[in-house]
Amino acid sequence: MLPAGEPAYRAEQVYRAIYHDKVERLVEISTLPERLRTELAGSAEVGLPDLSARYESVDGTRRYLLSLADGRTVETVLMPEPDRDTVCISSQVGCPVDCKFCMTALMGLERSLTAGEIVGQVLFVARENSLLVESRRLNIVMMGMGEPLLNLANVLKATRILCDPKGAGISERRITVSTSGIIPKIAELGKADVRPKLAISLNASTEEMRQQLMPITRKWHLKDLMEACRAYPLRQWETLTFEYVLLRGVNDTDSDARRVVKLLANLNCKVNLIALNPGPGIPYETPDAGRVASFQAIVRRSLPCFIRKPRGLDIYAACGQLKRNSA
Ligand code: SAH
Ligand code: SF4
C-alpha cells in the first residue's frame, strides 16, 4: 500500500515497476524517491513465488513446484517448442471439481490463488528461462491445477495485468482459459472486456456419461452448457475449443465421435482430443493410437479436430497429472 497523501501517479509507477520492469524488491523502484522506496519496502512485499522443486522431461517440458507466501505449493509447466513457448498455469491449489480421470481432483481444494499469484507463475517461469514475456512466442494456458471459473474474479484480474500494455503486455489472443463448464460463469466471462480465449472440457458425448465422469455436471447440464456456448460472444478472431479426454472403452467409440459432431454442430469451434494420461488412483486406461485416430477421423469430417500430444508424461507434467508428484 502506498502511504496516504501520495499523488496518484505513484501507484502507476509502482505497478509499472512490478509488472513491466519486473523489479523483485520495492527498494529497487528507481522512479520513486528514496524516502518512499524505503517506506514502501518496510510496509509491503512484492515478489515471485519461491522454487520448491523443478523437474525436466526428456521432451524438454519443465514442471515447477512453486511455494506461495503461506507455504502452500502449486504447479506451473513450461512447454518449449521451436516456434513458441507455452506456460501452463494454475488458478487454485488443488481443485474442488471431482473429475474421475484427473489426478488434481484427488487433492481436493486447498484454496484459490490471488491474481498476483496467478501472474507470478508466468513471471517466475519467464525469469527462470529468460523468456521475453512481451514476445509473440509466449502463450499462456490456464489449464494447470484448479477450475479457473470458480476463481473468475482473480483470473480476470490476472488477465488484465498480463495484457496491460503498461504491464506484461501479452495479447489476449495468446491466453486460453479452460473450464469444466461452470455455466453461469461462462456468461460472466463473456462480458469481460479483457478476457482469455475459452476452452470447454466436454469429455463425454451424453449427459449420463458426462455426469459419471464429471460429477459436477449433475448440476450443470450438457444441454444448458451447449446453450451457453451458443450464446457466448466470440470475438471476430476467436473460435471455441472443446477438449475431450479419451478413456479406453468408456467414451472413445465411433458412436461417441458421431454424437460429439452432432452436439457441436453450428458452433464456431475446434476439438482437441487428449488420450488419457494415466496415473496412480485413476481407474481408466489410455486408448491405443488406432482408436484415437478413428475417433479423430470421424470428427474431422465436420470440424477441425486435433490430437493433443502429451508433454512431460515422464515427470507428471501432462494434462490431469498435476498433483505435486515428486517423480
Ligand atoms: N479445470 C480445468 C482446467 C484444467 S484441466 C478443466 O477441467 O478444463 C485441463 C484439461 O486436462 C481438461 O480438458 C481436462 O479434461 C484434461 N484432463 C484432466 N485429467 C486428464 C488426464 N488424466 N488425462 C488427460 N487429460 C486430462
Ligand atoms: Fe479440476 Fe479440471 Fe481436474 Fe476436473 S479436470 S478435477 S475441473 S482440474
Side-chain angles (χ1 to χ4, degrees):
M1 277 290 284
L2 278 170
E6 291 296 331
Y9 66 83
R10 293 281 182 229
E12 191 157 314
Q13 286 174 322
V14 173
Y15 177 91
R16 190 179 168 85
I18 295 174
Y19 290 113
H20 182 271
D21 306 331
K22 304 183 189 69
V23 303
E24 284 176 31
R25 298 169 54 222
L26 289 163
V27 287
E28 290 165 12
I29 306 181
S30 54
T31 45
L32 297 183
E34 187 73 42
R35 157 193 66 79
L36 198 52
R37 271 190 250 174
T38 326
E39 196 171 331
L40 261 183
S43 65
E45 237 179 272
V46 284
L48 297 180
D50 285 326
L51 180 63
S52 186
R54 173 184 181 281
Y55 306 92
E56 180 148 359
S57 162
V58 289
D59 69 15
T61 299
R62 292 172 181 179
R63 175 165 69 97
Y64 296 92
L65 186 62
L66 301 180
S67 75
L68 307 169
D70 67 351
R72 295 197 190 263
T73 53
V74 87
E75 302 202 351
T76 307
V77 177
L78 170 67
M79 293 163 278
E81 283 174 86
D83 57 338
R84 63 177 184 175
D85 298 306
T86 305
V87 184
C88 177
I89 59 176
S90 296
S91 55
Q92 298 183 308
V93 185
C95 183
V97 181
D98 191 22
C99 301
K100 298 302 176 197
F101 43 79
C102 175
M103 289 173 70
T104 309
L106 301 173
M107 294 174 61
L109 176 69
E110 292 184 18
R111 71 166 169 88
S112 282
L113 298 184
T114 64
E117 288 167 339
I118 297 172
V119 175
Q121 296 170 67
V122 177
L123 300 185
F124 177 91
V125 171
R127 186 191 64 189
E128 283 293 299
N129 296 278
S130 311
L131 306 177
L132 279 178
V133 174
E134 300 81 357
S135 85
R136 295 243 179 122
R137 286 180 50 89
L138 189 73
N139 290 279
I140 298 169
V141 293
M142 296 175 171
M143 298 187 186
M145 286 180 168
E147 168 46 61
L149 294 203
L150 291 178
N151 187 19
L152 183 58
N154 287 334
V155 161
L156 286 176
K157 195 166 164 194
T159 307
R160 277 195 301 275
I161 294 170
L162 289 168
C163 294
D164 187 345
K166 283 190 238 127
I170 299 169
S171 160
E172 351 165 54
R173 300 179 187 215
R174 301 195 162 271
I175 309 180
T176 303
V177 65
S178 173
T179 180
S180 57
I182 314 293
I183 294 171
K185 298 289 176 182
I186 292 176
E188 202 177 317
L189 175 70
K191 290 191 193 120
D193 48 349
V194 180
R195 58 187 150 108
K197 292 191 291 183
L198 177 59
I200 311 256
S201 297
L202 183 61
N203 296 340
S205 70
T206 65
E207 181 84 279
E208 298 69 36
M209 182 56 73
R210 202 158 184 270
Q211 289 188 10
Q212 200 176 313
L213 299 176
M214 306 169 75
I216 198 171
T217 63
R218 288 178 202 151
K219 183 161 174 202
W220 308 120
H221 296 284
L222 186 54
K223 195 169 129 288
D224 300 331
L225 176 64
M226 288 304 128
E227 202 49 54
C229 291
R230 274 188 287 275
Y232 190 76
L234 288 172
R235 289 153 286 190
Q236 85 1 19
W237 45 266
E238 187 178 11
T239 50
L240 278 175
T241 299
F242 286 89
E243 296 148 297
Y244 194 102
V245 182
L246 289 162
L247 312 172
R248 181 174 177 165
V250 175
N251 66 353
D252 65 346
T253 65
D254 288 353
S255 313
D256 282 300
R258 284 190 287 268
R259 280 192 293 265
V260 166
V261 169
K262 261 201 196 149
L263 271 175
L264 305 184
N266 305 322
L267 278 170
N268 181 4
C269 69
K270 68 169 181 195
V271 177
N272 279 345
L273 301 175
I274 319 172
L276 175 78
N277 297 314
I282 300 302
Y284 298 106
E285 288 165 33
T286 310
D288 57 43
R291 180 89 297 277
V292 177
S294 307
F295 197 104
Q296 180 192 27
I298 293 173
V299 177
R300 211 162 44 183
R301 277 186 230 135
S302 311
L303 294 166
C305 179
F306 307 92
I307 298 171
R308 190 181 288 168
K309 201 171 83 198
R311 298 287 312 258
L313 261 180
D314 53 336
I315 54 160
Y316 287 104
C319 299
Q321 290 195 311
L322 301 186
K323 200 200 161 226
R324 302 191 297 212
N325 283 291
S326 52

